[in-house]
Amino acid sequence: MPDATSPRLSGTVVHGAGRGRMLGFPTANISPDPGSDVPPPAIYSGWLARPATGAVHRATISIGTNPTFEDGSRVHTEVYCHDTSDDLYGEHVALWFVARIRDTVRFASVDELLLAARADVRRSEALLDSARGRRVLAAAAR
Ligand SMILES: Cc1cc2nc3c(=O)[nH]c(=O)nc-3n(C[C@H](O)[C@H](O)[C@H](O)COP(=O)(O)O)c2cc1C
């Protein structure tokens, strides 16, 4: 896990499969910049910084192959922002990781995935408000 002063993941927001919006969890799909250090597959809590607007958003991040829906090996970096429904397509953004929440799971149903994702967001909210969360925010907002 990078600390607040480590390089963070940056990349461009691209179109995903479009499932997220349907599920009530619209995610920004990030295409990482070449040479970016993408953390190992898991669910994370973190901050999404938008240089275009100067805003920093509360986020829960899924890095993985979306095994509930896909059999492929392509790793997706998807960000659910808690506090905005802005369309970020085409923007260059940076992710600042606060904590790892859990492993990615191949759920048997979409309902189970949604239950887990809601719990992840609650956990993420607490982590973002923790001392470490605030330290990382200070670095992200610089
Ligand atoms: C908080 C959160 C947790 C997630 N956890 C999992 C998971 O454990 N397993 C999984 O297959 N996908 C997980 N996902 C990824 C979803 O499968 C993905 O966001 C959804 O399929 C939408 O994809 P799309 O943006 O490409 O349309 C998670 C997404 C979020 C936002």
Side-chain angles (χ1 to χ4, degrees), residues 16-20 23 25 27 29 43 60 62 66-69 78 80 102-105 107 113 117 120-121:
R19 260 185 320 253
L23 299 173
F25 271 98
T27 51
N29 290 254
I43 313 303
T60 306
S62 165
N66 295 353
T68 304
F69 300 99
E78 304 203 5
Y80 172 68
R102 64 168 170 90
D103 287 339
T104 305
V105 172
F107 289 104
L113 168 65
D120 296 335
V121 172

Side-chain angles (χ1 to χ4, degrees), residues 17 19 22 27 29 45 49 54 63 67 69 72 86-87 93 100 103 107 114 125 135:
R19 260 185 320 253
M22 212 175 65
T27 51
N29 290 254
S45 174
I63 296 179
F69 300 99
D86 281 6
D87 181 345
V93 298
R100 185 181 180 290
D103 287 339
F107 289 104
L114 289 177
E125 280 288 305
R135 261 199 318 276

